[in-house]
Amino acid sequence: MMEDDEPWADPQIKLNYEKALGSFLVRFNRIENAISSIIYQALHCLSSDDLAQFVALNRGALASSVG
């Protein structure tokens, strides 16, 4: 098992990895926000305002409860 302070890769590889991971997380967050907005709008159009409000208040909770 490797310790966290041991160099596991070339510093440039580590920087590229961290940059790619950050980029992925930003894109994932944008997708999550867009999906939440679509669900909110659909529920609002279906006159399910109580569910739409739940989605608006618990945006992150829905994604983290799956899986």
Side-chain angles (χ1 to χ4, degrees), residues 1-11 14 18:
M1 182 176 220
M2 296 179 72
E3 296 293 324
D4 284 35
D5 57 350
E6 288 185 35
W8 57 271
D10 179 87
K14 187 175 180 181
E18 290 171 354

Side-chain angles (χ1 to χ4, degrees), residues 34-51:
I35 290 171
S36 294
S37 178
I38 291 167
I39 292 170
Y40 173 82
Q41 291 172 21
L43 290 171
H44 188 69
C45 288
L46 294 171
S47 297
S48 296
D49 292 329
D50 57 331
L51 291 175

